[in-house]
Amino acid sequence: MDQRMKIAITMGDPAGVGAEIIVKALSHVDVYKKCMPVVMGDRAALEDALDFCGLPLGLHEIRNIDEAAGKFGEIDFIDFGLFAENGWEYKKNNAKCGEASFKYIVDAINLAMEKKVEAVITAPINKKSLRMAGL
């Protein structure tokens, strides 16, 4: 049985740098020696970040945290399906992005409270976008 801790990583605001920070961090094999990271976010933003960063990593979509493989080179993620390709504008405050970043965090916290992950890491959120979403 794999003894590495499962870590939920929330993608943050899709219009921000969160997805880019995450894919860069998960391009280091040492991360996978210490934990099993699972990204909570949207496929479109992760694909865009991988393309922008020029990283040769794959995406492994899972529906349940127990499906995480923790394999270097394939980012385990739960797709919220809130955004299509180019469904946001970088560096622009947006209620939909604020609501999405909030949903990622809430689901990750619920996983931690259910003891399905040992920790939650949050990528940057945008407080103005959160306020625009009424949060």
Side-chain angles (χ1 to χ4, degrees):
M1 178 179 230
D2 198 322
Q3 297 298 312
R4 294 176 293 165
M5 292 189 308
K6 283 188 182 155
I7 308 290
I9 305 173
T10 67
M11 195 178 74
D13 189 316
V17 298
E20 181 182 341
I21 291 169
I22 291 168
V23 300
K24 285 181 179 180
L26 298 182
S27 71
H28 297 276
V29 71
D30 289 345
V31 172
Y32 289 84
K33 291 177 181 176
K34 297 175 182 172
C35 69
M36 293 179 69
V38 177
V39 178
M40 313 292 286
D42 272 82
R43 175 183 284 277
L46 290 171
E47 287 176 342
D48 194 54
L50 286 170
D51 183 55
F52 177 77
C53 295
L55 294 170
L57 303 173
L59 293 174
H60 176 233
E61 183 175 343
I62 61 175
R63 298 211 182 276
N64 183 304
I65 198 77
D66 296 327
E67 298 172 4
K71 179 182 171 188
F72 174 68
E74 285 191 356
I75 298 173
D76 292 317
F77 76 103
I78 295 176
D79 183 20
F80 283 62
L82 301 174
F83 294 91
E85 184 178 349
N86 300 316
W88 64 96
E89 189 175 350
Y90 285 108
K91 301 182 197 177
K92 297 290 182 185
N93 297 319
N94 177 308
K96 185 175 178 183
C97 288
E99 186 175 339
S101 64
F102 182 75
K103 286 181 180 183
Y104 307 149
I105 292 169
V106 168
D107 277 20
I109 290 170
N110 285 335
L111 288 172
M113 295 194 55
E114 294 166 3
K115 301 201 183 307
K116 293 182 178 180
V117 297
E118 283 76 25
V120 174
I121 299 169
T122 58
I125 59 172
N126 184 306
K127 291 178 186 172
K128 185 169 185 179
S129 290
L130 287 170
R131 283 192 303 275
M132 291 171 78
L135 301 165

